[in-house]
Amino acid sequence: MRAPICISNRPWSRGRRFYGCSQLEENMCNFFHWYDKEEDNGVVEDLKDDLEMLQIKIRKFEIENKELKELVKSLKAKSVKRRNKAVFYKLAFFTSWIVYVLVKFGL
């Protein structure tokens, strides 16, 4: 019996050709042998290129994430300063109001 040449669709070997028994899927025969060498496989090179591009994108996202975290930290600090300033003005107003009432009514 001749083994047909098949093409792998597994993620780790997508596109590689292999000899596989026609009854391989029915688990009646275990014959399997790679038809091509891994180095001859253009799909592997494409996947390596894709991996390199994804690693570059990951690095860009990491840098962007770091910048965004620094921006959030800065905005939080500004928010705290504004809140403290608002509390100060409220206290100043309240204190001046108390002084006014004390002076007005001679207490």
Side-chain angles (χ1 to χ4, degrees), residues 3-30:
I5 297 174
C6 305
I7 298 175
S8 173
N9 63 357
R10 306 267 188 217
W12 58 86
S13 61
R14 192 174 312 274
R16 282 195 72 191
R17 295 176 292 175
F18 65 93
Y19 292 108
C21 180
S22 59
Q23 297 177 355
L24 187 64
E25 290 182 15
E26 291 91 33
N27 294 322
M28 298 181 77
C29 179
N30 293 359

Side-chain angles (χ1 to χ4, degrees), residues 2-3 6 8-9 24 34 63 73 80 89 93 98-99 107:
R2 278 182 60 163
C6 305
S8 173
N9 63 357
L24 187 64
W34 288 114
I63 291 168
K73 185 177 178 181
V80 168
Y89 286 127
F93 175 77
I98 289 178
V99 169
L107 299 173

Side-chain angles (χ1 to χ4, degrees), residues 73-85:
K73 185 177 178 181
S74 170
L75 291 173
K76 282 182 179 179
K78 286 180 183 179
S79 175
V80 168
K81 284 181 183 177
R82 286 185 185 147
R83 195 174 324 120
N84 289 345
K85 196 180 258 188

Side-chain angles (χ1 to χ4, degrees), residues 5-68:
I5 297 174
C6 305
I7 298 175
S8 173
N9 63 357
R10 306 267 188 217
W12 58 86
S13 61
R14 192 174 312 274
R16 282 195 72 191
R17 295 176 292 175
F18 65 93
Y19 292 108
C21 180
S22 59
Q23 297 177 355
L24 187 64
E25 290 182 15
E26 291 91 33
N27 294 322
M28 298 181 77
C29 179
N30 293 359
F31 178 75
F32 172 88
H33 184 73
W34 288 114
Y35 173 82
D36 56 0
K37 295 180 185 175
E38 187 172 353
E39 300 83 39
D40 296 339
N41 187 6
V43 173
V44 172
E45 290 304 315
D46 290 344
L47 290 174
K48 287 179 182 177
D49 291 343
D50 291 347
L51 177 62
E52 187 177 331
M53 290 303 298
L54 289 172
Q55 288 171 333
I56 291 169
K57 286 182 179 182
I58 287 171
R59 182 67 187 130
K60 286 180 181 178
F61 284 131
E62 287 171 344
I63 291 168
E64 184 179 350
N65 188 34
K66 182 180 177 185
E67 291 171 353
L68 289 171

